[in-house]
Every structure is written in C-alpha cells, then in structure tokens.
Amino acid sequence: MNVVELYEPVQHHWFYNQQVDSKDSWQPFSREDSQRLEDAYSRVGKCEKDEVVVATDGRRYDVRLRERKRYSVYWEQKPAEVRRCSWFHRSIKAMTYNPYSEELCDILEVAYMTAVTLGKWKQHLKLPKGKTVILHNPKLMLQYPSSCKVFPRSPTERTKPRSLKRGIENTSVEIPEGEPEMVDHLVFMVHGIGPAREGRLRRGIVQCVNDFRIASNRLLKSHFSHSEDLCLTGRVEYLPVSWHNVLHGESTGVDKDIERISLPSISRLRQFSNGTVLDLFFYNSVTYCQAIMDTVASEINRLHSLFLQRHPHFTGHASLVGHSLGSLILFDLLANQKTDADSKSHELHEDAHVDPACGSYESLEELLKGHGLDEHLNLLHREQVDMESLMLCSEKDLKDVGIPLGPRKKIMNCVKKWKDSRTGSGNAAQNEMHSPSLGIRNFHEQKTPATSAVDYQHFDVGIGQVSIDYPQLAFHPQALFAMGSPIGMFLTVRGVKRIHPNYGLPTCKSFYNIFHPFDPVAYRIEPMILPQDVDLQPMLILHHKGRKRMRLELKGLTRVKSDLLGSLRMVRKNTSPVPSPVIAEGGISSMTLADEIEV
C-alpha cells in the first residue's frame, strides 16, 4: 500500500547577485535579513503598487521589493538583482548551488506539490528553453539539457543532468551570520595611493573594509558573545572613504595631462606609476592637495551625517583609520582642526573684519550676483561649475565656455580675492599648528616669494609643506589609527626634527601608529618624540587567537631548525666512524659506538 506524503510549503530564502570576474554569483542574505524581507513581502503581497524598502546588511544597503534591487547607501555601487528563492540547481562540475528565478521556482513548487499529494513521480516537466525536469522522488530531482532527447530509465546512467534541491537547508550554501543592530563605534577608513576600485591586481577599498568588518564581527562573537547576547556590547561599523576617483576624474583632467607627457615605452609600468606613485606628488601640489583634503573631509562629514540619520539612537564615538598616504591626509587634517574656543574666536574676528570685496561669498551665485555678473551664471551651471571647481578654472577655461573678455577678467579677479581670503585662514591654521607652544621646533614664519603662484610653508630644512585651507570635521574623533604610515618620513622632510611630548591633535584624543616590520612605506614616529639616548622598542600587537604572528612563528621554526642542525653537527663531530672488525686469535673483536662518544 502506497503511503501519500503530506505536503509542507517550502521555506523561501532571499539572495542577491554579486558580479565576480564578470560572472553571476548569487549570495544569500543572512537569516535575519532574509526574514525581514520575507515579512515585508508577506505584508505587501504581489499586488502592492507602492515601493517597499527594507534595510539590510547592518543598514548599509536598501532592498526595494517591487523593483527587486539592492542599493548601496554609503558608496557608489551598481544595483544588484534580488531574488526570493526556494529551488536550486547545480551542474556536475559546479561546487555550489545556484537559485532558479522566482517564476521557475513557482513552476517547480507546483509540480512538486502535485507529485507529493497525488503520488505521481517521474513526470516530465518542460521548462523554458527546452529543458526538462524529472522529479524521481523527494530526494532525487534532475534537470536534463535541451539536447537530451532520450531519457534514461534509471537516473544512475550517464546523462549529464543538473541536480535539483528544494529549500536552502538541503544545499551546501553557507548563510552568513547576521550583524547586531546596536553600533558602539563608528570608524571611517581612508585608502592610500592608487585606485580605490577593484582591479586585477588589487581589491577595492569597499571589499577591504568589508573584510575588516567581517573580522571584527567574528571577534565580537568569539570574545564577547556573552555581552552580545545580553545586548551590552554592540558592533563596530566601518565605512570606506574614497578620494582617488575625484582627483583623477574628469573635473581635474590631470590624467589626460599626465598621459600626454608620459613616454610610450614600458607603458604598463608607467600607467601603474601614474595611477599610484604620482598621488604622492599631487599631495604636495597646492591645487590637488586642496582637492584631496576637501574630498576627504566632505566625504567623512557626509557619511557621518548619513549614518546618524540611519542610526538615530547611536550614542557612541567615531574614529579614523588611514592607510599609507591616507594616514598622512588624516594627520594633516586633524592637526589643523579648530577647537570650540578657536571657532568662537574666529567668528568674532570675522565679524569685525568682513570685506565683501575680499571674497566673503560662499557660493557661486552670491559671488556673481554681488559683482553684477549673474547673467553668466547659466553658462557656468551648464558646465556644472560650482565654487570649488571655479577655483580650478583658468582664464582659458572661462573663454572656452563663452564668457567675454571683460566679465572674464572680473570673474578671475573675484576668484583671486576669494582664494586669498581663504588661504589667509589656512596660513593661520598652519602657523598655529607649527607654533613652538605646540612643541614642533625649527620652524620659521611663512615666507612666500612674490613671483610664486603656489603657497608653501618654508622651513630652515626640508621641502616644506603646502599651505591650504583645511576644512573642519563635523565631529571630534576619538582616535586616529595610522596603518603602514609615512607620517614620520613626511614630517622629517618637512623640516620637523623633534615633536614635543606635550603635542597633541587639537580635537583627537588618541593616535596609534600601527605598522608591519616588513612594510617599506611605514615609518616610526616615537623616536621623534623621545630623547635621542632613549631607544624604546615598538609594542607587539598580540594575535586575537593567542598564537604568535606568522613571521614570528616562521622565525621560531627557523631557530628550531638551526638548533637541530647544530646538534646533529655536534654529534657528527664527536662521533668517529665505526672501525672495521679486527680478526684476532681466539675470535672477532670490535669497538662499540658508545665507547667513542663523550657522555
């Protein structure tokens, strides 16, 4: 007697499509995010006209249910397709199961329900594109290609079918761990030289920051699981800050200028150096240094404001992490921040010395209308020119736009006055940063040549530091973490011989210089603070798993190998060959090996 099985509805799980090497790679949401999506889907149904947005991945992404797209919130990223999945397939050569489309999942589920309730298995189900599915039994379901015209009587015969699975629990798909809702700390990570996007030889900053976040969440679960279960400890959120694309974008045109002067030989090496090493030289240019600093500060403020909007109950602190050149950018930015007392004093000073002719305007509209040049505003808006990009424009650029000679001269004069007023405040911040009261010695007052168009700080030694207008952050960071940082080297070539022990960043309480001993770009800073006769070794950061660092483990293995070889050499040295037997009267006599070894 055949026993008819009871049909149980399948449990759906939500996936998103991630492009890996231009190929589709379907990744599952965490169980918590998938349940949120399923609950929202159940509430609105398929007939809902209004879009429903569900925050996922620690509120870093938004999923639009009707559109079936996953959008990044904090950084630019192509929207990813989203699916509500219940059936999966895998080819013979594939290692993982991939989900079917939602339409095919519905078709397969209806066929499975019919087979279970009526007990009719081994029915041929035609799919689009000529593919055929045969449900042999609940544990054996196969999809045959369209080229397969004759189906085998037994599923064990070689027909190269695809294996089908119903429900994610029957597959080998690894579901990621969910993230705690509560955030205790916010960290902004600034990249160093080179492109921030993914390439053939490097990972993008978004993926690197994701790896940082994953490792942090694993440490939270392994070391603070009890506190996490009691909701006493939240997670750390990491957000990437990118500036390379703005510097090398269409607005500056610097890449095209560099390409015109680059030699054609060893083209790949020159392209690599133009996209990476040249960032160091750009940072020492007043024009591009200003662009880099404005981009980093504005991006940090934008991300900070957006984070607070999405986490209105956040009461923790924020810190900054910079790698390579990114650490130097953050150090210079924080060294030129103003405290609350400085801001009040600066506001009083500005109220007493406001001169409209010297560039007190903060927008392009105010500047042009204040000088009767608002009729040319549409031309500049058509080219997407704002106040910052106008600072980078030359008179030839304005001529190409179509502005006549007279108004063009007036605009350039206004820009010059506006830049002079802004640079003046930047010089004040620089002099304040390098004043002897803060502890950095061997600096002189600024001496700018009258014929120079670039404003530098000049010291008695070194190449000097570009003087720019440093923007202000909207918050006070708790700490600055410099990783693989050249700060010490740059301070040295700027003419800084010693940093006073009482020196500190105005709005940042803590500073950590973290480096790997084999990093060629990393430099120490504490020797510039300590007396020359004091040699303080850097502190070793312990591994979170309790073991030694890889280089120390390898060093230990090398020492063991050396000691073992030394012992074997000693044994060999103190051991003579076993002598040949000597035939004597009365029998054979021999010497034992132990007699030759000194004990």
Side-chain angles (χ1 to χ4, degrees):
M1 180 177 179
N2 295 331
V3 179
V4 179
E5 299 182 13
L6 295 178
Y7 169 78
E8 295 183 0
V10 67
Q11 296 295 323
H12 293 82
H13 198 94
W14 291 75
F15 282 69
Y16 65 92
N17 187 11
Q18 181 179 353
Q19 292 288 322
V20 178
D21 296 333
S22 300
K23 297 181 180 179
D24 292 338
S25 177
W26 288 94
Q27 302 296 326
F29 285 95
S30 66
R31 296 189 184 277
E32 295 82 357
D33 288 339
S34 180
Q35 189 61 47
R36 293 190 191 97
L37 293 169
E38 187 65 19
D39 293 342
Y41 175 83
S42 301
R43 288 194 304 268
V44 300
K46 297 182 179 180
C47 299
E48 182 68 28
K49 295 182 179 180
D50 296 334
E51 184 61 86
V52 177
V53 179
V54 179
T56 63
D57 302 273
R59 296 185 175 272
R60 294 183 300 276
Y61 290 88
D62 282 339
V63 173
R64 302 179 184 178
L65 285 183
R66 282 188 56 82
E67 191 180 352
R68 290 295 196 271
K69 294 289 185 181
R70 174 177 178 260
Y71 287 86
S72 172
V73 174
Y74 295 104
W75 54 82
E76 293 184 2
Q77 185 174 330
K78 185 179 179 180
E81 181 184 353
V82 173
R83 286 182 182 178
R84 179 175 179 261
C85 305
S86 57
W87 283 79
F88 305 84
H89 63 90
R90 186 189 70 178
S91 64
I92 296 179
K93 297 182 179 180
M95 300 297 295
T96 58
Y97 282 87
N98 289 320
Y100 280 104
S101 64
E102 295 187 31
E103 294 77 9
L104 290 181
C105 286
D106 292 340
I107 294 175
L108 292 172
E109 186 63 22
V110 171
Y112 178 85
M113 180 180 63
T114 304
V116 170
T117 55
L118 301 180
K120 294 183 178 180
W121 297 97
K122 299 183 180 180
Q123 300 294 321
H124 291 198
L125 177 63
K126 290 292 184 179
L127 297 182
K129 299 182 180 179
K131 299 177 181 178
T132 302
V133 170
I134 301 179
L135 306 180
H136 294 277
N137 55 62
K139 295 184 178 180
L140 182 59
M141 296 172 283
L142 302 175
Q143 172 189 304
Y144 296 90
S146 57
S147 58
C148 186
K149 303 301 182 181
V150 179
F151 300 100
R153 295 181 179 179
S154 173
T156 59
E157 297 182 14
R158 296 182 179 181
T159 54
K160 297 181 179 179
R162 288 178 178 267
S163 175
L164 271 65
K165 294 295 182 180
R166 178 179 179 266
I168 193 173
E169 63 276 2
N170 295 319
T171 67
S172 58
V173 177
E174 183 178 356
I175 301 177
E177 295 284 345
E179 300 181 17
E181 283 291 328
M182 185 172 62
V183 178
D184 279 351
H185 204 85
L186 175 62
V187 178
F188 299 99
M189 308 191 74
V190 181
H191 66 87
I193 61 175
R197 297 185 182 274
E198 295 187 22
R200 293 181 61 185
L201 300 178
R202 59 184 297 151
R203 307 184 75 185
I205 181 175
V206 173
Q207 185 59 45
C208 291
V209 174
N210 287 344
D211 294 342
F212 233 95
R213 188 185 304 107
I214 293 173
S216 176
N217 291 336
R218 288 176 179 172
L219 288 177
L220 186 65
K221 292 184 178 298
S222 61
H223 290 64
F224 305 96
S225 57
H226 182 67
S227 298
E228 183 186 3
D229 295 338
L230 298 177
C231 297
L232 300 177
T233 302
R235 63 184 177 88
V236 180
E237 181 60 278
Y238 299 86
L239 297 179
V241 178
S242 175
W243 54 265
H244 185 273
N245 296 330
V246 176
L247 176 64
H248 295 266
E250 294 294 335
S251 59
T252 61
V254 64
D255 285 353
K256 293 182 179 179
D257 295 337
I258 294 296
E259 184 179 357
R260 288 191 300 110
I261 63 176
S262 297
L263 298 179
S265 57
I266 52 174
S267 57
R268 291 189 177 180
L269 180 59
R270 295 189 190 277
Q271 290 175 2
F272 175 78
S273 63
N274 289 346
T276 54
V277 181
L278 284 183
D279 288 341
L280 297 174
F281 298 99
F282 289 144
Y283 189 68
N284 285 306
S285 164
V286 63
T287 300
Y288 300 114
C289 180
Q290 184 72 66
I292 293 174
M293 198 63 67
D294 290 342
T295 301
V296 171
S298 62
E299 184 68 5
I300 291 177
N301 287 335
R302 183 189 70 85
L303 293 174
H304 183 260
S305 176
L306 187 56
F307 176 83
L308 294 180
Q309 293 177 16
R310 300 182 68 84
H311 298 265
H313 302 294
F314 175 74
T315 58
H317 297 281
S319 296
L320 303 177
V321 173
H323 173 251
S324 184
L325 182 60
S327 64
L328 178 64
I329 296 172
L330 292 177
F331 182 85
D332 288 342
L333 178 63
L334 294 180
N336 289 275
Q337 294 296 293
K338 299 175 183 177
T339 60
D340 296 336
D342 295 334
S343 300
K344 293 180 180 179
S345 176
H346 183 66
E347 290 176 0
L348 294 175
H349 179 76
E350 282 188 342
D351 292 339
H353 300 85
V354 174
D355 183 7
C358 292
S360 61
Y361 305 103
E362 294 299 329
S363 67
L364 181 63
E365 292 79 1
E366 293 180 4
L367 186 144
L368 295 181
K369 291 180 180 180
H371 292 78
L373 300 171
D374 52 318
E375 60 181 291
H376 305 288
L377 189 58
N378 292 333
L379 291 175
L380 297 178
H381 279 171
R382 186 181 62 190
E383 299 295 330
Q384 299 181 359
V385 176
D386 56 10
M387 199 65 178
E388 294 183 1
S389 56
L390 185 61
M391 286 184 61
L392 304 176
C393 291
S394 63
E395 186 175 351
K396 182 179 181 301
D397 296 329
L398 298 180
K399 181 180 179 181
D400 294 339
V401 172
I403 299 178
L405 177 62
R408 191 165 66 238
K409 291 292 186 181
K410 291 182 181 180
I411 292 177
M412 294 304 299
N413 186 45
C414 293
V415 170
K416 182 178 182 302
K417 291 181 179 180
W418 190 84
K419 291 172 64 175
D420 290 343
S421 65
R422 305 278 286 189
T423 306
S425 62
N427 292 341
Q430 284 286 352
N431 293 332
E432 183 179 359
M433 170 189 173
H434 299 307
S435 60
S437 62
L438 290 179
I440 300 183
R441 308 302 188 195
N442 298 324
F443 289 93
H444 292 294
E445 296 181 358
Q446 179 188 354
K447 298 179 181 178
T448 304
T451 58
S452 176
V454 180
D455 193 11
Y456 285 91
Q457 285 283 349
H458 287 266
F459 314 136
D460 56 344
V461 291
I463 64 173
Q465 177 185 2
V466 177
S467 178
I468 62 172
D469 178 27
Y470 286 90
Q472 301 298 301
L473 296 179
F475 61 96
H476 291 180
Q478 188 181 53
L480 169 62
F481 297 88
M483 297 184 176
S485 173
I487 293 177
M489 182 270 291
F490 268 83
L491 292 179
T492 300
V493 299
R494 289 174 181 176
V496 181
K497 290 184 177 295
R498 183 174 178 269
I499 302 177
H500 196 276
N502 294 331
Y503 174 75
L505 300 173
T507 60
C508 187
K509 296 181 180 179
S510 305
F511 172 77
Y512 301 90
N513 185 37
I514 304 173
F515 60 88
H516 192 281
F518 299 155
D519 188 348
V521 184
Y523 291 83
R524 297 184 66 185
I525 294 181
E526 56 272 28
M528 303 179 66
I529 304 175
L530 301 172
Q532 295 184 357
D533 56 345
V534 176
D535 184 16
L536 183 63
Q537 294 298 317
M539 181 179 296
L540 179 65
I541 300 178
L542 299 178
H543 198 279
H544 65 277
K545 291 186 178 180
R547 62 176 178 82
K548 294 182 179 180
R549 297 287 171 179
M550 181 64 68
R551 62 181 185 85
L552 296 179
E553 289 184 348
L554 294 177
K555 186 177 180 180
L557 292 176
T558 304
R559 185 183 298 112
V560 171
K561 177 182 177 182
S562 177
D563 295 343
L564 181 60
L565 292 177
S567 300
L568 292 176
R569 292 192 187 99
M570 184 64 67
V571 171
R572 183 177 180 182
K573 179 180 179 181
N574 295 328
T575 304
S576 60
V578 179
S580 302
V582 179
I583 300 177
E585 295 182 2
I588 300 178
S589 174
S590 64
M591 300 179 62
T592 63
L593 184 62
D595 294 336
E596 295 294 320
I597 300 180
E598 296 181 1
V599 180

